[in-house]
Amino acid sequence: MLLMANPLHFRHAMRSRRKLKRSMGLMGLTFVAVGGIVGSGWLFAPLLATRLAGPAAIVAWGIGGVAMLLLALCFAEVMGILPVAGGIARIPHFTHGDVTSALLGWSAWVGYNTAAPIETIAMLQYLAVDWHWLFEGSAADGNLTWRGSFVAMGVLGVFVWINAMGVAAFSKANTAITWVKLGIPVVVGLAIMAARFEPSNFHAAGGFAPFGAEGIFAAVSSGGVIFALIGFRHAIDMAGEVKRPNVTIPLALTISLVICVGIYGLLQVAFVGALEPSVLKEGWGKIDFGHDLGPVAGVAAALGIAWMSILLKAGGVISPFGGGLVATGSMARLGYAMAESRVFPRYFAHLSKKRVPMRCLWLDYAFGGLVVFFVPFAEAVALNGAAITLSFAAGPLAVCALRQQHPEAERRFRMPLVNVFAPMAFVVATLIIIWSGWDTMWRLLLTMVVGVVVFLVRMRQERVRFDRLDLREASWLLPFIGGIGVISYLGDYGGGRGILDEPWLFVVAAVFALLVFWFGHRVRLRNEASAKYRERYMTEPPPDITPL
């Protein structure tokens, strides 16, 4: 009766029941993950990893692949039974309550909103080889001119436009772009191997592993391995629009990681095998190429493959464009999840007729504009890495918690040996953050302080009593974030004091992570509270309600 008497209220109620449309299949979701992993970094990662590990960099890619697969499998089981949009923010709500969800979601959202501007600037850096007016000084510094900034805003607008057409149109566009993104590095790798391949390089200048196990793990952490492969996260955020999620999500995450580890491994082998002996005279750590399009282009030029510069330039433009497109879609779903969880105003939970969180897309566009015009490129990159990595701790905790909280759920995919592999995945997530270094960690701490303030303001606006918040369930976050900060400060990565170096840093971080995991599992939501959250946020609208 009340709804019929108040048409505005009725319209608002109907829109609030509108759900994201499940129209993305296995190939579409797989290519979302692949598009996030294969960015412009493939042009530089082979050199960075080789400098740190020598020929054993190929082992680093294998270790990184296994580590990321552990994390991905945690999310695969969880998202298979709770396929919600913006899963990195929403899943903690079902297992550890509103405070945990809000803070981890905030961290991920801030990081995601720097991703599209970063990819856009990376794309313009390759175009600046011909269009020098895009940047002030060297394009490598990432300082856009005013004209370059407006070009960047235009590119961000294209990302919004493609996403606004609906998930089906987005999936088709991303799939087409990703086929090209996959083809270029494969062709480049095979062409380099065909032109020159020296097996002797794999035991030259100190042997296969000239820097030992420490060099291999350094390549995993600092050589771009982990931060390339962690791009699978975008598939998690699109889970609310996936058909047959309990089958599609696990398969997409696994297939995407296998494909991408194979591509990066091919490029790594090709790069090492193509090096001239003279390049190795000063050792693996001194390898350098001054080519405008990066070290892979430098190798191609040394081999006399002239046509490859055109292909590499195309890859340098298309790869970050695809990455920015996927990042824009992911952060809109994350913003939608934050609005559903009341961290953002409910205004942003509105969906367009295409079932797209359009208001979140415009919010992200505005935030991206602030990054383009006012945030230095290097600081945006650091903030991106810091803010996103923390949110991955939710997956391992959630998969174990839901085995207790929701045991009756149909699980087409069950993570094997969950009580062994989930804690290992949590250790991996912790190490990823610590390996980012202190220079990144202090930005993460500052981001979390801002997130706490935003959350407190929103709860006051919503008139939520603080004794009703899930504070006990979020209590594991304080020692986790604080402990990571201390270890990062004492460590020897990215501005740390160097008091705690490898292998002791690894041992301390692993033991610390296992203790926090045990504590986090103990303070999970009680089964009844978890069930209420699932009922509140997972209920589908009745079939007779037609979106307006």
Side-chain angles (χ1 to χ4, degrees), residues 179-536:
W179 275 120
V180 178
K181 289 174 62 175
L182 286 174
I184 291 176
V186 170
V187 170
V188 167
L190 293 176
I192 289 176
M193 292 180 70
R196 176 185 176 86
F197 187 78
E198 291 290 342
S200 60
N201 285 353
F202 289 86
H203 51 81
F208 179 72
F211 307 110
E214 184 175 348
I216 295 173
F217 283 108
V220 174
S221 60
S222 306
V225 173
I226 285 294
F227 292 101
L229 300 180
I230 209 168
F232 75 84
R233 66 185 182 269
H234 297 298
I236 298 169
D237 294 309
M238 305 294 288
E241 293 147 287
V242 175
K243 296 182 287 188
R244 301 177 65 226
N246 54 358
V247 175
T248 300
I249 296 172
L251 284 175
L253 291 174
T254 304
I255 293 171
S256 62
L257 279 169
V258 171
I259 290 173
C260 293
V261 170
I263 289 174
Y264 279 108
L266 170 66
L267 288 168
Q268 189 67 64
V269 171
F271 181 81
V272 173
L275 294 175
E276 292 278 356
S278 59
V279 176
L280 302 176
K281 286 182 179 179
E282 298 185 27
W284 295 99
K286 299 293 185 179
I287 299 174
D288 191 27
F289 291 92
H291 200 283
D292 289 337
L293 296 177
V296 175
V299 168
L303 296 174
I305 312 176
W307 58 265
M308 194 174 290
S309 62
I310 299 174
L311 193 63
L312 288 169
K313 184 181 292 186
V317 173
I318 295 171
S319 292
F321 183 89
L325 178 65
V326 172
T328 300
S330 288
M331 63 190 177
R333 274 71 182 177
L334 192 59
Y336 173 81
M338 299 285 281
E340 288 278 283
S341 300
R342 298 184 300 178
V343 180
F344 289 171
R346 287 285 301 173
Y347 174 84
F348 293 106
H350 173 272
L351 296 177
S352 70
K353 291 181 180 181
K354 296 283 189 179
R355 308 276 183 97
V356 172
M358 195 66 216
R359 292 173 181 174
C360 290
L361 284 172
W362 287 121
L363 174 66
D364 299 334
Y365 180 75
F367 194 99
L370 293 176
V371 173
V372 166
F373 280 99
F374 301 111
V375 179
F377 183 67
E379 292 186 17
V381 172
L383 181 60
N384 175 267
I388 289 174
T389 48
L390 177 64
S391 59
F392 278 84
L397 276 173
V399 71
C400 284
L402 284 168
R403 290 285 182 98
Q404 305 294 322
Q405 296 164 335
H406 200 16
E408 72 281 3
E410 180 185 8
R411 289 170 167 85
R412 295 287 184 90
F413 170 78
R414 292 178 66 90
M415 186 178 187
L417 298 174
V418 68
N419 292 325
V420 176
F421 289 148
M424 289 175 60
F426 191 83
V427 171
V428 168
T430 303
L431 287 170
I432 290 172
I433 305 171
I434 292 173
W435 285 338
S436 299
W438 171 248
D439 289 340
T440 298
M441 188 61 204
W442 73 261
R443 290 178 170 86
L444 174 59
L445 294 173
L446 181 60
T447 298
M448 296 310 296
V449 170
V450 175
V452 170
V453 173
V454 170
F455 179 69
L456 293 176
V457 170
R458 283 293 301 140
M459 292 303 98
R460 186 173 181 84
Q461 291 174 341
E462 293 280 337
R463 299 182 180 179
V464 175
R465 289 171 48 184
F466 288 105
D467 59 351
R468 297 288 182 89
L469 297 175
D470 302 313
L471 295 172
R472 181 189 75 87
E473 292 77 6
S475 58
W476 66 276
L477 277 173
L478 186 60
F480 183 55
I481 297 174
I484 287 177
V486 171
I487 295 173
S488 296
Y489 180 73
L490 297 177
D492 57 353
Y493 290 100
R497 297 294 299 274
I499 297 173
L500 192 63
D501 56 7
E502 300 290 3
W504 292 109
L505 184 145
F506 180 91
V507 174
V508 170
V511 172
F512 163 75
L514 291 173
L515 290 173
V516 172
F517 182 87
W518 171 83
F519 179 55
H521 186 65
R522 288 289 301 272
V523 300
R524 67 186 183 276
L525 282 170
R526 295 176 177 85
N527 292 3
E528 299 79 8
S530 177
K532 288 181 179 178
Y533 280 134
R534 293 197 305 271
E535 182 180 1
R536 181 185 305 173

Side-chain angles (χ1 to χ4, degrees), residues 55-251:
I58 186 62
V59 178
W61 285 105
I63 293 173
V66 172
M68 287 299 97
L69 187 60
L70 283 176
L71 269 176
L73 292 180
C74 291
F75 283 103
E77 178 176 330
V78 171
M79 300 308 297
I81 60 176
L82 297 173
V84 291
I88 286 180
R90 293 286 292 283
I91 290 301
H93 206 140
F94 301 134
T95 62
H96 286 79
D98 45 21
V99 178
T100 301
S101 173
L103 296 182
L104 293 183
W106 167 261
S107 177
W109 185 82
V110 171
Y112 275 33
N113 270 283
T114 61
I118 288 171
E119 294 284 11
T120 299
I121 294 172
M123 182 184 75
L124 296 183
Q125 285 173 329
Y126 288 99
L127 293 175
V129 174
D130 299 313
W131 300 346
H132 303 289
W133 51 268
L134 289 170
F135 290 90
E136 297 176 352
S138 173
D141 296 332
N143 298 320
L144 292 166
T145 63
W146 279 100
R147 288 188 294 171
S149 296
F150 282 110
V151 172
M153 292 302 295
V155 175
L156 292 176
V158 173
F159 296 156
V160 170
W161 173 65
I162 294 175
N163 275 276
M165 291 189 295
V167 69
F170 160 80
S171 180
K172 291 177 181 178
N174 181 65
T175 298
I177 292 170
T178 304
W179 275 120
V180 178
K181 289 174 62 175
L182 286 174
I184 291 176
V186 170
V187 170
V188 167
L190 293 176
I192 289 176
M193 292 180 70
R196 176 185 176 86
F197 187 78
E198 291 290 342
S200 60
N201 285 353
F202 289 86
H203 51 81
F208 179 72
F211 307 110
E214 184 175 348
I216 295 173
F217 283 108
V220 174
S221 60
S222 306
V225 173
I226 285 294
F227 292 101
L229 300 180
I230 209 168
F232 75 84
R233 66 185 182 269
H234 297 298
I236 298 169
D237 294 309
M238 305 294 288
E241 293 147 287
V242 175
K243 296 182 287 188
R244 301 177 65 226
N246 54 358
V247 175
T248 300
I249 296 172
L251 284 175

